[in-house]
Amino acid sequence: MIIDYDKRTVGIKIVFFGPAMSGKTTTIKWLFHEMDLIEELTSIENSAGRTMFMDFGIIPFRMGDDWTINAHVWSATGQDFYKSTRDVILVGADGIIFVADAQMHLQDENVESWYELAETALEADESLPIAIFLNKTDLPNIVNETQLRMVLEVDESIPVFIGIASHGKNVLEIFQWMFQKAVKTAVT
Ligand SMILES: Nc1nc2c(ncn2[C@@H]2O[C@H](COP(=O)(O)OP(=O)(O)O)[C@@H](O)[C@H]2O)c(=O)[nH]1
Ligand SMILES: [Mg+2]
């Protein structure tokens, strides 16, 4: 969390993490679109529409008359050869939304990405808020919440939101949950 007394802003950092193609950029774009902030979002993509390096944007929330909490939203690309950029993007995170792909045949990818996250961010800070977005639940042959929890070995202390990023299902809900949790954790 970064506090700027001159500008009366508090900055918190929320990182979207997960395997390549699980829907991080789609989720973030839907969120910024919904909040009328799509022009504020920077997505660095290659010519095939895949994320290179990251997506980044700020969502401001007015608090009372003069303070603003700025949610700095980041995503890191999931592709293997960008691991070093993912480590950098995780630094200083106040909350992490893990975007898992619900398709049955992609569970190894979820596990690999989850362990990478566990080894870096979660090991460094056990109190870091984390929530899981189980995405693409509009598709056939998918895992349900119980199956995902088994695959990732995650208990009820971490919430799972069942989502469809392309329709915005549960996108605002998981973001609001994370925003509140991240602010609360950062100030205590
Ligand atoms: N059917 C379906 N497709 C999705 C959903 N979310 C994302 N996608 C598609 O999955 C692909 C990868 O999404 P993208 O957001 O680029 O993934 P990222 O690599 O995690 O940023 C794109 O073709 C999206 O349109 C979803 O909820 N349902
Ligand atoms: Mg992306």
Side-chain angles (χ1 to χ4, degrees), residues 16-29 45 48-51 55 75-79 99 101 103 133-140 163-169:
F16 283 72
F17 199 93
M21 304 294 279
S22 65
K24 299 175 293 297
T25 300
T26 308
T27 309
I28 292 174
K29 279 190 174 164
E45 292 171 340
R50 308 250 331 234
T51 308
D55 308 294
S75 89
T77 172
Q79 292 168 68
V99 181
D101 196 314
Q103 294 175 90
F133 192 66
L134 180 56
N135 190 33
K136 305 197 187 182
T137 54
D138 55 318
L139 295 176
I164 304 172
S166 40
H167 303 176
K169 185 187 168 195

Side-chain angles (χ1 to χ4, degrees), residues 33-44:
H33 198 269
E34 188 67 11
M35 300 195 133
D36 266 333
L37 291 168
I38 195 72
E39 277 83 42
E40 310 295 319
L41 180 67
T42 304
S43 291
I44 302 183

